[in-house]
Amino acid sequence: KKNIKICNYVDVYKNDYITNDLDFMIATATDREIERYTLLKNDIIITKDSEIWNDIAVPSFVDEDLLKVLCGYHLAIIRLNSSQTVADFIYRAFLSDYVSNQYKTKAKGVTRFGLSYQDIHDTIILLPPTEQQQKIASYIRIKSLEIDAAVQKIKKEINLISEYRTSLISDVVTGKVD
């Protein structure tokens, strides 16, 4: 067995993108496991199970070549085998209600809900021509980055206002301000 890194359920659940910057768990694997489960650029990883039926198939996108990182348990790798399909477009499709709802209706279980590989394989995704897929994926990525930046700015402003509030309360309580 060889030392490797594992991309686990939480890595996928909490991150839109899987990159080398993440702090992966260290484990060991056989050569066969390394060959079979190594994550490649443009792979899409989804969570295969969840404690609630409507929180299933959360996707994450492998945005760069990873260094000896394997896909962990309770996850499925979606690896495209067609040059006519844009991986980022498929990732965005997995984020859509159209695909998400397919999984919610297919999830089976009582205390833990799961998807079979057949359920995943049978996913219906409508594919426009390759050029349109690229344009759509690029547009969504750009807009998502803009939204993420706005959210971060607002969170920073909220933190500053919260700090100001705490400081103001302290000043009033200690008599520095009337």
Side-chain angles (χ1 to χ4, degrees):
K1 291 204 172 207
K2 298 177 181 172
N3 285 343
I4 47 87
K5 298 174 186 173
I6 296 284
C7 175
N8 63 40
Y9 189 97
V10 174
D11 296 326
V12 171
Y13 194 85
K14 292 191 174 193
N15 295 286
D16 294 331
Y17 299 98
I18 302 300
T19 65
N20 284 301
D21 296 335
L22 296 177
D23 187 23
F24 297 107
M25 183 174 78
I26 304 296
T28 59
T30 65
D31 288 336
R32 172 134 168 76
E33 290 168 330
I34 292 170
E35 180 183 327
R36 191 168 182 194
Y37 299 111
T38 295
L39 294 174
L40 305 174
K41 181 177 181 176
N42 292 327
D43 280 349
I44 300 157
I45 312 165
I46 65 169
T47 58
K48 287 189 339 168
D49 51 41
S50 180
E51 292 174 357
I52 52 177
W53 68 274
N54 60 353
D55 188 33
I56 202 155
V58 174
S60 194
F61 188 69
V62 179
D63 206 26
E64 63 189 26
D65 290 321
L66 300 175
L67 307 173
K68 295 184 180 176
V69 179
L70 272 56
C71 183
Y73 299 111
H74 305 288
L75 302 171
I77 302 172
I78 312 298
R79 187 167 290 154
L80 307 176
N81 58 7
S82 168
S83 61
Q84 303 298 311
T85 309
V86 176
D88 196 24
F89 177 85
I90 299 300
Y91 165 65
R92 302 296 173 176
F94 272 86
L95 291 168
S96 73
D97 285 343
Y98 177 75
V99 172
S100 177
N101 288 336
Q102 290 179 58
Y103 292 131
K104 289 174 186 173
T105 59
K106 292 177 182 180
K108 295 173 184 71
V110 178
T111 59
R112 187 150 189 93
F113 296 86
L115 293 170
S116 70
Y117 283 106
Q118 191 63 48
D119 292 335
I120 297 166
H121 181 270
D122 292 345
T123 305
I124 297 169
I125 297 176
L126 305 174
L127 290 175
T130 307
E131 186 177 316
Q132 283 183 325
Q133 291 178 50
Q134 290 169 336
K135 286 180 181 178
I136 291 167
S138 178
Y139 177 82
I140 294 172
R141 186 178 278 233
I142 289 167
K143 290 299 178 187
S144 294
L145 289 172
E146 290 172 5
I147 292 167
D148 290 347
V151 167
Q152 289 306 315
K153 183 178 177 184
I154 291 168
K155 283 181 178 179
K156 186 176 179 182
E157 289 174 5
I158 289 170
N159 286 338
L160 288 173
I161 291 169
S162 181
E163 287 175 22
Y164 175 70
R165 178 180 179 265
T166 302
S167 174
L168 184 60
I169 290 170
S170 176
D171 288 349
V172 169
V173 170
T174 60
K176 292 181 182 176
V177 175
D178 283 334

